[in-house]
Amino acid sequence: MNLLKRENWWIWLLITLTSGGSSVIVLGALLDCFDSNAWYANWKNWLLGFLCFIFPFTIMIAVFNIELLVQSAAKLEVPGKEIYLSPYIWILCLIIPIIGWIMFIVMMLYLEIWVIVSLYKGNAEKYI
């Protein structure tokens, strides 16, 4: 059973609703979104984040999760690539109080929902 087939979109919906965000890592692995030269591929970064107590490590996991979600959405041809692929937009959303934070949540929901819609449309079948 290949999870990237069009008829398995409902499995991704269940995984997304029950996994608490870890489904993005599995989807990123299936779509080959991992970059061997990126910051998350270096084990020293993770060790340093863990040694500086749990707070930096938690932020690193959140950024890793967002980066994989964005890369997966780009590979699945989710509309709005010009906006969500820009790191400046994400930084602005975090810096600007209230409105930016609301937009951050809206962008996360937008990407999560449209990834499921793209799987439903069959955009992931070319990565099988």
Side-chain angles (χ1 to χ4, degrees):
M1 175 171 96
N2 197 333
L3 291 176
L4 294 178
K5 288 187 178 180
R6 182 179 181 181
E7 59 266 6
N8 293 332
W9 71 271
W10 62 274
I11 294 173
W12 282 107
L13 178 64
L14 290 175
I15 291 172
T16 301
L17 292 175
T18 59
S19 70
S22 62
S23 65
V24 174
I25 296 172
V26 175
L27 183 62
L30 290 174
L31 293 175
D32 196 30
C33 291
F34 293 102
D35 183 15
S36 61
N37 296 325
W39 65 271
Y40 53 79
N42 191 352
W43 63 272
K44 294 175 188 173
N45 294 338
W46 292 101
L47 180 65
L48 182 65
F50 187 74
L51 290 177
C52 292
F53 301 109
I54 301 300
F55 187 67
F57 187 71
T58 307
I59 291 173
M60 289 172 66
I61 289 175
V63 170
F64 176 63
N65 196 1
I66 291 170
E67 188 168 340
L68 279 181
L69 179 63
V70 166
Q71 294 301 327
S72 299
K75 284 203 171 191
L76 292 174
E77 300 166 2
V78 171
K81 189 182 299 188
E82 301 81 23
I83 296 172
Y84 64 78
L85 277 179
S86 173
Y88 304 114
I89 299 296
W90 291 95
I91 292 170
L92 277 175
C93 284
L94 290 175
I95 290 175
I96 300 172
I98 312 299
I99 295 172
W101 301 336
I102 291 171
M103 291 310 298
F104 180 82
I105 293 169
V106 167
M107 280 181 35
M108 288 294 292
L109 285 173
Y110 173 80
L111 289 177
E112 288 283 346
I113 292 169
W114 268 95
V115 163
I116 301 297
V117 170
S118 294
L119 289 169
Y120 173 74
K121 289 181 178 180
N123 292 351
E125 289 185 345
K126 59 185 169 189
Y127 296 103
I128 295 178

